[in-house]
Amino acid sequence: PINKLKIVKKRTNKFRRFQSDKFMRVPESWRAPRGIDGRMRRRFRGTPRHPKCGYGSNKKTRGLLPIGLRKFRVSNVADVELLMMQNRKYAAEIAHNVSTRKRKAIVERAQQLNVVVTNANAKLRSEENE
């Protein structure tokens, strides 16, 4: 990476939906509380925190991988060529629906161009039976 900034997360644990621990029918994914008398909506003391814009990440580090690069989804070798001059800013991530044969070609070309591939050894079986 060009300049490695320290990635600071203001909050690492997820915002859980109110009473999702109490009832199986209430999933954990966040939804805003809407009850007319609900203490969560009225933000009473002792209730969990709500998500707010203040918890957002620094604009410069938002979307950065821990290695300091941003993801760029790649489906073929031509997409890797786009990262030729941006290999210190972006890391390639091979799309999930790319075949093993194309993956090998993508990884090989990425090594030549010095591009980081985050999931380089996904879907590659070891060839020990030969």
Side-chain angles (χ1 to χ4, degrees), residues 4-73:
K4 182 95 164 73
L5 288 163
K6 186 161 169 47
I7 300 169
V8 177
K9 306 265 191 221
K10 292 181 190 167
R11 186 183 165 100
T12 51
N13 51 343
K14 290 241 169 48
F15 288 102
R16 306 261 180 239
R17 189 168 169 184
F18 189 52
Q19 290 190 331
S20 64
D21 56 336
K22 210 169 181 184
F23 302 106
M24 289 294 287
R25 62 179 180 261
V26 181
E28 280 191 345
S29 56
W30 173 257
R31 295 288 184 276
R34 291 200 167 82
I36 49 169
D37 292 331
R39 56 199 175 100
M40 179 76 174
R41 183 189 59 77
R42 290 156 73 188
R43 294 199 168 94
F44 279 12
R45 237 177 37 211
T47 56
R49 313 300 301 265
H50 287 225
K52 295 176 185 168
C53 57
Y55 288 112
S57 307
N58 181 353
K59 230 181 208 177
K60 289 176 182 166
T61 61
R62 194 179 300 157
L64 278 186
L65 296 168
I67 54 174
L69 302 170
R70 295 190 189 282
K71 274 188 199 173
F72 181 79
R73 193 173 64 218

